[in-house]
Amino acid sequence: MANVVVVGSQWGDEGKGKIVDWLSEQADIVVRFQGGHNAGHTLVIGNQTFKLSLLPSGVVRDGKLSVIGNGVVVDPHALLKEIETLKKQGVDVTPERLRIAENAVLILPLHRELDALRESDGAKTKIGTTKRGIGPAYEDKVGRRAIRFMDLADLPSLPPKIERLLAHHNALRRGSGLAEFDAKAIYDDLAALAPKVLPYMDSVWSLLDARRREGKRILFEGAQGSLLDIDHGTYPYVTSSNTVAAQAATGSGLGPNAIDFVLGICKAYTTRVGEGPFPTDQMDNDVGKTLGERGREFGVVTGRPRRCGWFDAVLVRQTVLTSGIDGLALTKLDILDGFADLKVCVGYKLDGRMIDYLPAGEHAQARVEPLYEVIEGWQEKTANARSWADLPAQAIKYVRRIEELVGCPVVLLSTSPEREDTILMKNPFES
C-alpha cells in the first residue's frame, strides 16, 4: 500500500484541507507531523464546514485514526477547545480516534505571551507570526528545556523541569521589565490538564510502524507551506519547523522509506499572509484585490487578509525540488475565470542579472524583480468542472504551461471548495 505526504508548495493556504479530506477517505491513518495550531484547514463535508488548526483533517471522518506526531508542538488548551468544538458539530474525538506522540512538546501560556511580546507594535523582532507560542515552544525544544506530553504522566518529576524552563523565561521577563512566572501556577495548570489529555498519549512511532506492517494506508498531512520552512523558506519570515516533505519521516518517527508519493498543493495564483518577500505581489492594484475578493483570501486562524499575486513558477519549481514532489494538486483555478490575460513569473532579475531561483539572503529576496510570461486567459467558467472536457481550452493550456515551467505533473485539479469538484489524473495512493 502506498503512503502519501501532502505538503504546501507555496506559503501555505493552498487549499490543503480539501485535498487532504479527499485523500483521507482512502487512507486508514492521517498524521500531522509538524507545526501547531497556527495552521488552519477548512473542510467542507456536505452542508457542514469544519475549521481545524491542530487536529489532523481525518479526525472528522468515521473509521479513520488521526495521529499527532512528535514533530508537532501541542497547546493542550487549544487541543481541548478544538475537541470540544468538534463535539458540538457532532464529531466525538475519542482516544480511539486520536493518538498523540508521548514525546511531543507542549506549548504553555508563557510561550504565547513571549510570542505576543515579540510581535507587538514597534518590536524589532516582529516577523508576522500568529502569536500562538509556536516559535518559543520550538526554541525550548531545541534548548532541551521543554515540557513534553509524557511529563504529564509523571507529575512528581515536573517541578524541577518547570524550574529549568523558568530559569530561561524569567530571565527574559526580567530583561523586559515584566513580572516573573510562578512555577506553582504552571504546575497546577498542567496537573489539571493531565487527566484530560493523557488518554490520547501513545508511542506514535511504534504505533505507525505496526499499522504500516499491517498494510494500512498512511496519509501525512503537512501544515503551512514549503516556502515557510525554517531552512528552505524565505528566512527569517518563516515558521519555526521544517515544512518540507522530509519532515514527515522525522516528525512521525517513521523512516523515509515509508514515503511512497509526495503531493504538493499549490494555487493557480500565489498568496501570502504576513510579512516577508513576495516577488509577484499585486495587492496594490486591481489584480490583487480581485484575486482576494474572488478567492475569499483571509487566514483561517488569524482572519488576516492574504496578499495576492500572479503564479510564481520559479518558487514552485524550487519547492518541487526541496520537497521531492512527485505530483501537484492545483487549486482555485476557477478564481482566474474572466481575466483577459494571465501572468506567470518565469524568472527574476537581481541587480541587473537574470536568475532562475530565489536567493537565500533576506535582502536579495527583497530586491528580486519578477520576469513575466503573459498567457491568454479565458472567459468561460471553470468553477465546478469535474473533467478535462469541462474546461476551456485556454485553461488547459494554462495548466500545461505550469507543468512545463515547474517540472512536475499536475495530478489533481480543484475547481471549487466542494470535494466533488476535483479532476483526477493520477491517484497518489495508487502510484
Side-chain angles (χ1 to χ4, degrees):
M1 292 288 186
N3 298 319
V4 176
V5 178
V6 174
V7 293
S9 57
Q10 294 162 314
W11 279 293
D13 308 306
E14 301 96 348
K16 292 184 292 295
K18 170 189 169 175
I19 304 300
V20 169
D21 175 60
W22 189 86
L23 290 169
S24 68
E25 195 170 47
Q26 304 174 60
D28 300 296
I29 305 168
V30 182
V31 183
R32 273 285 307 274
F33 58 84
Q34 51 77 216
H37 63 304
N38 56 338
H41 290 175
T42 301
L43 309 179
V44 180
I45 302 176
N47 60 357
Q48 271 197 304
T49 298
F50 300 95
K51 293 184 182 293
L52 305 177
S53 296
L54 177 61
L55 296 174
S57 295
V59 78
V60 299
R61 293 200 166 274
D62 293 331
K64 311 295 180 182
L65 176 64
S66 289
V67 172
I68 294 177
N70 56 274
V72 179
V73 285
V74 179
D75 183 327
H77 290 285
L79 171 70
L80 293 173
K81 182 178 180 181
E82 199 164 318
I83 289 174
E84 182 61 28
T85 297
L86 286 182
K87 188 173 184 179
K88 292 176 181 176
Q89 291 186 276
V91 178
D92 191 11
V93 183
T94 64
E96 290 70 38
R97 198 170 193 143
L98 173 69
R99 308 305 290 161
I100 302 174
E102 60 185 359
N103 50 341
V105 164
L106 297 182
I107 299 173
L108 307 180
L110 58 81
H111 295 126
R112 295 195 298 271
E113 286 196 31
L114 178 57
D115 206 356
L117 178 66
R118 290 172 172 172
E119 289 295 311
S120 59
D121 290 339
K124 294 181 179 179
T125 50
K126 186 175 181 179
I127 60 171
T129 78
T130 58
K131 304 178 186 178
R132 280 160 171 73
I134 310 297
Y138 274 116
E139 290 175 34
D140 284 342
K141 177 180 181 177
V142 175
R144 296 179 292 273
R145 56 182 172 263
I147 305 298
R148 300 194 292 176
F149 210 89
M150 64 178 71
D151 294 329
L152 301 183
D154 186 11
L155 291 179
S157 74
L158 262 182
K161 293 176 181 177
I162 294 172
E163 292 293 345
R164 181 177 61 192
L165 180 68
L166 291 185
H168 173 77
H169 281 273
N170 279 340
L172 295 178
R173 302 277 293 184
R174 289 193 297 271
S176 298
L178 300 173
E180 297 185 11
F181 286 110
D182 178 60
K184 185 177 185 304
I186 294 174
Y187 175 87
D188 289 344
D189 182 47
L190 292 174
L193 287 166
K196 300 175 184 177
V197 298
L198 282 175
Y200 297 100
M201 188 176 74
D202 211 324
S203 176
V204 158
W205 67 269
S206 179
L207 169 68
L208 292 176
D209 177 68
R211 297 296 175 90
R212 182 189 174 211
R213 292 176 185 276
E214 293 170 5
K216 302 297 184 183
R217 283 180 166 178
I218 304 175
L219 177 63
F220 299 90
E221 176 185 10
Q224 292 104 15
S226 297
L227 292 171
L228 293 175
D229 186 274
I230 189 69
D231 287 303
H232 301 287
T234 48
Y235 190 92
Y237 302 100
V238 292
T239 193
S240 303
S241 61
N242 287 110
T243 58
V244 294
Q247 178 64 16
T250 306
S252 68
L254 281 180
N257 63 343
I259 299 170
D260 300 297
F261 192 95
V262 178
L263 180 67
I265 317 296
C266 68
K267 285 176 180 168
Y269 50 100
T270 310
T271 64
R272 175 164 200 170
V273 171
E275 311 292 328
F278 184 177
T280 64
D281 194 350
Q282 303 292 312
M283 281 307 287
D284 291 334
N285 58 43
D286 289 341
V287 170
K289 293 174 183 175
T290 299
L291 291 172
E293 290 170 2
R294 288 186 185 177
R296 298 178 183 177
E297 296 295 355
F298 296 92
V300 174
V301 171
T302 64
R304 291 181 293 180
R306 298 175 185 135
R307 299 152 63 190
C308 300
W310 297 117
F311 186 86
D312 193 330
V314 179
L315 291 180
V316 176
R317 181 170 65 241
Q318 207 159 310
T319 59
V320 163
L321 297 176
T322 56
S323 266
I325 293 172
D326 298 299
L328 289 173
L330 191 67
T331 66
K332 292 198 168 184
L333 182 68
D334 53 303
I335 305 304
L336 300 181
D337 293 356
F339 279 92
D341 292 304
L342 303 169
K343 291 183 179 180
V344 175
C345 178
V346 296
Y348 300 132
K349 182 186 287 187
L350 176 62
D351 301 334
R353 63 189 179 93
M354 309 298 183
I355 59 174
D356 61 357
Y357 63 94
L358 185 70
E362 175 185 359
H363 297 296
Q365 290 174 354
R367 294 199 309 276
V368 297
E369 302 172 42
L371 301 174
Y372 289 114
E373 176 180 307
V374 179
I375 301 175
E376 182 184 344
W378 55 90
Q379 300 306 306
E380 303 93 327
K381 175 185 172 183
T382 65
N384 310 116
R386 298 182 181 181
S387 72
W388 281 106
D390 296 333
L391 295 176
Q394 279 304 127
I396 295 174
K397 288 181 181 179
Y398 182 76
V399 174
R400 294 305 186 203
R401 184 58 178 147
I402 284 176
E403 290 179 319
E404 293 172 357
L405 291 169
V406 304
C408 187
V410 172
V411 298
L412 277 166
L413 192 61
S414 173
T415 58
S416 94
E418 298 295 330
R419 68 189 308 274
E420 292 81 6
D421 294 337
T422 305
I423 301 172
L424 175 66
M425 285 72 82
K426 179 179 181 179
N427 189 335
F429 276 118
E430 297 174 0
S431 61

